[in-house]
Amino acid sequence: MNINKKNIIIGIDPGLNNIGLSVIEFYHNKIFIILLKDIKLSNIKNIYLKLITIYLKIKKIIKLYNPTFLVIESIFLGKNVKTMRNLIQLQTTILLLFIYYNIPFIEYSPKTIKYIISGDGNCSKKKIKNILENILNKKLNYNKNYDYIDSLSIVICHIMIIKTKLKLKN
């Protein structure tokens, strides 16, 4: 990622009932929020209908914003095999779209995201939201069910990592 060129970064927090989505422009060390959105899937019970729904919605976002990069939260491995299978199918559906459009991507674990942003891999969503508000100098609507906060934190985490790598390189 070249910080001297305009970058459109999509952040995704995948979930079976709600997907957090953010579209961010990063240019000359400045961060601009283009879109913060939750895609609700809880009313769709069939996993295959969820997959096609998210496929169509993410495809539309890709075509509309022409992103240069995707950052996505990695899947937390739980004990429910059916849920894990469905989450893997969901994430694969999303990643295949980005592969098809030749858009590079990277995954970060929830602990890594929290640690990079706050210095504490176990901090609360509310604390992350407060830190994001300070970084962006912008008030964010907050509800513990707003997954777009998570998607935004994934993008900010990635930008912080890129900036640190550039500093170390110089």
Side-chain angles (χ1 to χ4, degrees):
M1 187 168 81
N2 184 340
I3 65 168
N4 295 317
K5 291 185 178 178
K6 184 168 106 173
N7 294 279
I8 303 295
I9 306 167
I10 291 182
I12 295 179
D13 176 28
L16 291 174
N17 292 318
N18 197 34
I19 293 176
L21 177 81
S22 57
V23 180
I24 304 301
E25 181 181 312
F26 180 62
Y27 181 59
H28 284 298
N29 237 4
K30 292 191 174 133
I31 299 168
F32 304 96
I33 297 173
I34 297 171
L35 176 70
L36 294 176
K37 177 179 184 166
D38 280 342
I39 300 172
K40 302 285 184 201
L41 300 171
S42 55
N43 60 334
I44 303 170
K45 300 304 174 202
N46 182 296
I47 183 61
Y48 302 107
L49 292 177
K50 284 184 187 208
L51 295 176
I52 194 65
T53 299
I54 200 59
Y55 174 88
L56 294 171
K57 288 184 182 281
I58 298 292
K59 182 178 179 182
K60 185 177 177 181
I61 296 287
I62 290 171
K63 289 185 170 214
L64 185 62
Y65 295 105
N66 195 25
T68 53
F69 207 84
L70 163 71
V71 287
I72 188 166
E73 188 174 280
S74 59
I75 295 171
F76 174 77
L77 297 176
K79 293 181 181 178
N80 185 320
V81 175
K82 183 180 178 186
T83 300
M84 288 310 307
R85 181 196 62 173
N86 291 346
L87 275 169
I88 290 167
Q89 289 175 330
L90 179 77
Q91 188 180 41
T92 302
T93 299
I94 294 167
L95 292 177
L96 283 174
L97 269 168
F98 284 84
I99 291 167
Y100 178 80
Y101 287 104
N102 200 28
I103 301 165
F105 60 88
I106 192 165
E107 291 180 70
Y108 293 109
S109 73
K111 275 195 178 289
T112 299
I113 296 161
K114 290 175 182 179
Y115 182 78
I116 295 295
I117 290 177
S118 73
D120 176 5
N122 296 310
C123 75
S124 70
K125 191 174 195 170
K126 189 166 185 170
K127 182 176 179 185
I128 291 291
K129 182 207 72 102
N130 292 337
I131 294 169
L132 293 176
E133 287 178 338
N134 287 334
I135 291 170
L136 299 168
N137 198 23
K138 178 179 175 55
K139 190 85 173 137
L140 299 169
N141 289 333
Y142 177 72
N143 177 316
K144 65 180 177 181
N145 298 321
Y146 288 175
D147 289 309
Y148 68 76
I149 296 285
D150 294 336
S151 70
L152 178 60
S153 69
I154 300 163
V155 175
I156 299 302
C157 167
H158 181 67
I159 289 170
M160 291 171 85
I161 289 171
I162 294 299
K163 288 167 73 173
T164 301
K165 284 181 180 179
L166 288 172
K167 282 181 186 175
L168 291 173
K169 190 177 179 181
N170 294 333

